[in-house]
Amino acid sequence: MTSTARSHPSVPSSRPNLPTYQPLTHKLNPGAEHALRNLSTTHSLNDLKRRLQTAVTHLTEVTGDLNDQYQIRKAGHEKQKARQAARAKDLDSSQKSDTVADEGDRRIEDAWREVDDWTGKLELGTRNVIDVRARVEDGETALRQLNTNISQQGRTQPTQSSLGASQHR
């Protein structure tokens, strides 16, 4: 029995090209600044990240357990096959033993296909959870950058000359 080839490790999704940052033309009001600064503290993503890590751990454990159970079942089948072959004394019992062994082999092959199918599904689920975790981390980075931009925006207010005359008509 050979295992089927697995898909390649997840490739980071191509990120969209964002437009260049354009600073605000007008200062945010104090309430908006306060709300944006507190966004990352009032909406912590640590609990979500912890749950995503737990999901990856459980999916990995289930995949290992599934494959371990298959190996135990396969080893038991091989032992049973060896015992039956040793007990075969005449042609009739040998033929009967071969039929039973063939049925057992078929069941083991069916079990392998099912294990392999579930392993692939669990692997895909694990990759999806890891991708979501990466997006959450990207969101955290965006929030930190937002806080930095708000802080910098408060220090560098545009002047009337930097805004241009067309905006004041």
Side-chain angles (χ1 to χ4, degrees):
M1 285 180 262
T2 61
S3 68
T4 59
R6 299 272 180 244
S7 57
H8 298 295
S10 59
V11 177
S13 60
S14 60
R15 298 179 189 231
N17 290 332
L18 298 176
T20 56
Y21 175 73
Q22 296 179 355
L24 296 174
T25 55
H26 300 290
K27 187 173 180 351
L28 294 172
N29 67 40
E33 283 184 22
H34 180 72
L36 287 173
R37 276 194 198 103
N38 288 334
L39 189 59
S40 60
T41 57
T42 57
H43 299 289
S44 174
L45 298 175
N46 289 335
D47 188 46
L48 177 58
K49 288 182 354 185
R50 183 181 50 77
R51 289 175 187 259
L52 290 170
Q53 183 57 48
T54 300
V56 168
T57 300
H58 288 308
L59 287 168
T60 303
E61 288 172 358
V62 166
T63 302
D65 290 346
L66 183 64
N67 282 287
D68 290 347
Q69 288 300 314
Y70 167 76
Q71 291 300 325
I72 290 168
R73 186 173 173 187
K74 181 180 175 187
H77 171 69
E78 295 298 328
K79 285 180 184 177
Q80 181 183 12
K81 226 167 104 171
R83 282 193 304 265
Q84 287 174 348
R87 279 189 238 141
K89 293 184 181 176
D90 59 2
L91 183 59
D92 291 338
S93 65
S94 175
Q95 288 174 345
K96 184 177 181 183
S97 178
D98 287 345
T99 304
V100 172
D102 289 344
E103 177 64 24
D105 290 342
R106 187 191 58 74
R107 278 193 242 144
I108 289 296
E109 287 174 12
D110 289 346
W112 171 248
R113 280 190 285 278
E114 192 172 342
V115 166
D116 192 50
D117 183 48
W118 275 106
T119 300
K121 289 176 184 177
L122 291 166
E123 183 179 327
L124 181 61
T126 302
R127 289 176 185 201
N128 288 336
V129 171
I130 290 169
D131 290 345
V132 168
R133 190 173 62 196
R135 283 186 230 126
V136 168
E137 290 170 358
D138 288 347
E140 284 182 318
T141 301
L143 285 173
R144 281 192 299 277
Q145 289 173 346
L146 178 65
N147 284 335
T148 302
N149 289 341
I150 290 169
S151 298
Q152 290 174 354
Q153 185 267 333
R155 285 183 252 135
T156 59
Q157 297 178 13
T159 62
Q160 284 187 357
S161 62
S162 68
L163 290 174
S166 62
Q167 294 179 352
H168 295 286
R169 291 186 188 168

